[in-house]
Amino acid sequence: QNVIVTVHCYDPFQFTHQGATWSGPDVKLTGIAFPGPPKSPLQIPSTLAVSDSVKQWVAQYNSLPPEINPSSPRVLRDATQQARQWSDYYGRPVHVGEFGCYVEADVKSRVNYYREFRQALDEADLGWAMWDWKADFKYWDDKTNQPIPGMREALFPKK
């Protein structure tokens, strides 16, 4: 009776973890925008060894339209709807205890991602907590003592 399920979601992982030093060679590719597709095709440097699945992901990212792109709001809505369906089926609330984007992504894409994820969570009626406040996935800028530009509006819009 007293169970709340918590899940973590970092989809799309190629975007959210790009450039992360702790996540292995497949996330060393940077320059991925949210949402896709990019204005100019993303090239995988010949010096970067990535798996075939990353090559396929990049090919789809470069070519698929926004509605079905692997770096799109659809990916976030699919994940949150799956959590909502699980919650409805099992009768337990779901709290998305972690989501976020590493600071290697450009600020505009990060703001887009956080806004779209928060909207998807709201639509699915799921509680949430972002990861993190002011470290590698930062919301807060210590230098300005304010949120990263655009982040407050993305996560906490005025109603």
Side-chain angles (χ1 to χ4, degrees):
Q1 280 307 100
N2 299 318
V3 174
I4 296 175
V5 174
T6 187
V7 297
H8 301 175
C9 184
Y10 290 99
D11 293 341
F13 197 76
Q14 286 304 132
F15 168 74
T16 64
H17 279 66
Q18 62 184 298
T21 57
W22 66 91
S23 289
D26 277 351
V27 295
K28 299 296 183 244
L29 182 63
T30 60
I32 302 167
F34 188 90
K39 290 179 178 144
S40 300
L42 181 66
Q43 300 296 318
I44 300 172
S46 59
T47 57
L48 195 59
V50 296
S51 68
D52 288 341
S53 64
V54 170
K55 291 174 186 171
Q56 181 181 7
W57 190 93
V58 170
Q60 292 174 348
Y61 168 69
N62 284 336
S63 62
L64 293 178
E67 311 79 57
I68 59 172
N69 196 280
S71 184
S72 72
R74 176 197 52 86
V75 174
L76 308 177
R77 282 176 175 69
D78 288 351
T80 57
Q81 287 305 313
Q82 183 179 9
R84 173 79 266 151
Q85 290 168 355
W86 187 97
S87 176
D88 291 345
Y89 182 82
Y90 288 101
R92 305 274 34 103
V94 171
H95 177 258
V96 179
E98 285 186 24
F99 73 96
C101 177
Y102 186 55
V103 294
E104 185 68 33
D106 69 274
V107 172
K108 181 180 178 188
S109 290
R110 290 183 73 232
V111 167
N112 290 341
Y113 168 83
Y114 281 96
R115 182 185 57 254
E116 291 291 342
F117 208 129
R118 193 255 324 136
Q119 287 175 348
L121 291 163
D122 288 353
E123 290 167 10
D125 196 28
L126 299 173
W128 58 269
M130 57 173 272
W131 186 266
D132 60 44
W133 183 251
K134 60 181 184 176
D136 293 338
F137 288 65
K138 70 172 62 181
Y139 168 83
W140 194 259
D141 185 342
D142 277 335
K143 293 177 184 154
T144 64
N145 204 31
Q146 296 182 43
I148 302 293
M151 292 291 270
R152 177 180 290 154
E153 297 79 10
L155 290 166
F156 309 108
K158 293 182 179 174
K159 303 254 176 179

